[in-house]
Amino acid sequence: MPTLFDPIEVGRLTCPNRIWMAPLTRGRATRDHVPTDLMSTYYAQRASAGLIISEATGISVEGSGWPYAGGLWTAAQVAHWRNVTDAVHGAGGRIFAQLWHMGRLVHPSLHDAQPVSASATTAPGKAHTYDGRHAYVQARALTLAEIPRLVGDYAAAARNAIAAGFDGVQLHAANGYLIDQFLRDNSNQRTDAYGGSVENRIRLLREVVAALVDAVGGARTAVRLSPNGESQGVDDSNQAALFPQAAAALNDFGIAFLELREPGPNGTFGKSDRPPVAPLIRKVFNGVLVLNSDYDFARGQAELAAGGADAIAFGRKFLANPDLPHRFAADLPLNSDDPKTWYSQGPEGYVTYPTAS
Ligand SMILES: Cc1cc2nc3c(=O)[nH]c(=O)nc-3n(C[C@H](O)[C@H](O)[C@H](O)COP(=O)(O)O)c2cc1C
């Protein structure tokens, strides 16, 4: 069985290790969702990851609802992402762009439009806006006529990602965002071909992945799911039926990898009492499988040794330790992350975490 330090082929890439950086929203772009020089520095600092998965990046005005998050729908955004990818590649790294449509979690104060979702539902809790936290508003259901345009928006963002120098794209189908709102039966109340049966609820996922593969190739397409339990109000009555079927549907496309975020009962970024679906998915998904949530070195190593995964994605540990693979290899202590600077603007808590000497 491989160790975290063994290389792995992923699509057209050879990743030098299996210690990957999980996608992390950090809010360091401009108000027009254009990446900044600070972002080039931050990602280049983390180039020793086997693979970096970028922060969630908006595919369109409609889908973008996080203050100062990056986007991939304008020429200026693409040009500035090119600086980031050049910096990562110059430092010897590899980076996929995570493609994001937030669906009902887009607050109208960001774009002055009612958010869209599978159905007319309202997320619990409060949105991050430029003006503090505000309650979410009710979404409107996307019409059948709008879905081809939505799928096209994902494909256009994927083409833009490749034009910006990314090594591939990861569809964000996790954490209660738009694709997840279609997947799960408490947020998808549709009675058309996109709602009801599991087959129907995974239709949008399948169509978007097909469009991404058509746009940039299966070797440059990946997916993230968060199967076990509630996420931002989105939940399913039978996760053990839904998610293995969704993962098996991805076999048709020869994607680069599938990543799963599954917190446990004592999770420190979300918790779930439901069992992980990863063991079921491992049996039916025939590509590279990456697991995430609360892993440390020993648990990650044990997961690979047991054959449960091919790589592990580390979120907060990479956020706070730019040289995480080196620290693991040399058994060095880790910096801990400071939640106060997760989404703050500026360099503090972003590019200021020290590397080990
Ligand atoms: C500050 C922060 C930002 C995050 N942003 C994203 C994101 O943009 N996309 C995503 O899929 N998950 C996001 N997550 C979830 C992480 O990718 C990961 O699932 C979570 O941190 C658990 O992994 P860890 O225990 O290794 O940190 C974020 C988590 C944190 C702490």
Side-chain angles (χ1 to χ4, degrees):
M1 282 299 174
T3 76
L4 284 167
F5 303 110
D6 287 326
I8 181 168
E9 305 288 320
V10 176
R12 292 182 206 154
L13 298 177
T14 302
C15 300
N17 63 55
R18 294 154 190 252
I19 303 162
W20 292 13
M21 180 170 163
L24 294 165
T25 293
R26 304 302 311 277
R28 261 71 174 190
T30 69
R31 249 187 118 127
D32 293 329
H33 309 287
V34 174
T36 55
D37 290 347
L38 211 50
M39 291 165 64
S40 302
T41 304
Y42 165 79
Y43 282 111
Q45 285 176 339
R46 289 157 179 78
S48 64
L51 180 67
I52 296 170
I53 306 166
S54 83
E55 64 203 83
T57 301
I59 61 163
S60 60
V61 170
E62 176 191 86
S64 178
W66 195 283
Y68 304 106
L72 268 168
W73 69 88
T74 71
Q77 292 163 356
V78 171
H80 285 79
W81 273 120
R82 170 57 83 170
N83 296 340
V84 174
T85 63
D86 281 351
V88 170
H89 292 144
R94 298 138 298 279
I95 182 167
F96 269 45
Q98 191 185 50
L99 302 183
W100 200 21
H101 190 307
M102 294 173 60
R104 71 182 191 174
L105 295 165
V106 176
H107 192 268
S109 70
L110 276 94
H111 303 304
D112 200 20
Q114 188 180 9
V116 299
S117 186
S119 301
T121 62
T122 309
K126 293 186 170 177
H128 291 254
T129 78
Y130 286 109
D131 163 33
R133 304 291 295 263
H134 290 290
Y136 290 107
V137 305
Q138 192 180 67
R140 67 174 181 84
L142 278 161
T143 64
L144 277 181
E146 287 176 291
I147 288 184
R149 188 269 304 156
L150 170 73
V151 173
D153 287 348
Y154 276 104
R159 281 191 292 270
N160 283 344
I162 299 305
F166 282 99
D167 297 298
V169 296
Q170 182 191 56
L171 174 63
H172 194 344
N175 299 358
Y177 294 107
L178 182 68
I179 303 287
D180 212 10
Q181 292 160 27
F182 272 79
L183 287 174
R184 305 214 231 180
D185 60 9
N186 84 333
S187 48
N188 184 338
Q189 295 146 13
R190 300 177 75 97
T191 52
D192 60 17
Y194 293 88
S197 66
V198 167
E199 193 56 32
N200 280 355
R201 283 183 280 121
I202 66 178
R203 189 177 308 282
L204 182 65
L205 170 72
R206 198 196 282 275
E207 288 182 359
V208 172
V209 171
L212 297 179
V213 169
D214 192 44
V216 304
R220 296 195 292 200
T221 299
V223 173
R224 180 178 236 219
L225 296 169
S226 53
N228 73 326
E230 183 271 344
S231 201
Q232 307 206 68
V234 163
D235 203 358
D236 197 77
S237 59
N238 192 353
Q239 63 178 30
L242 170 63
F243 284 100
Q245 199 170 326
L250 301 175
N251 287 335
D252 295 345
F253 301 104
I255 62 170
F257 66 92
L258 171 62
E259 186 204 2
L260 306 178
R261 168 186 170 243
E262 296 205 280
N266 301 314
T268 56
F269 188 81
K271 292 185 201 309
S272 177
D273 289 331
R274 310 254 193 93
V277 186
L280 301 175
I281 289 179
R282 185 65 159 167
K283 289 198 185 111
V284 298
F285 177 67
N286 58 25
V288 169
L289 187 67
V290 184
L291 298 186
N292 164 259
S293 264
D294 287 295
Y295 279 94
D296 57 16
F297 176 71
R299 220 184 119 222
Q301 195 62 53
E303 193 76 73
L304 262 56
D310 301 300
I312 303 295
F314 296 89
R316 287 158 295 171
K317 288 192 172 52
F318 243 120
L319 188 159
N321 296 276
D323 54 348
L324 188 64
H326 168 63
R327 287 179 189 247
F328 281 165
D331 198 18
L332 296 169
L334 301 184
N335 305 319
S336 44
D337 63 297
D338 176 6
K340 287 197 299 299
T341 53
W342 278 357
Y343 308 122
S344 57
Q345 283 74 62
E348 193 55 39
Y350 189 55
V351 294
T352 53
Y353 287 105
T355 52
S357 49

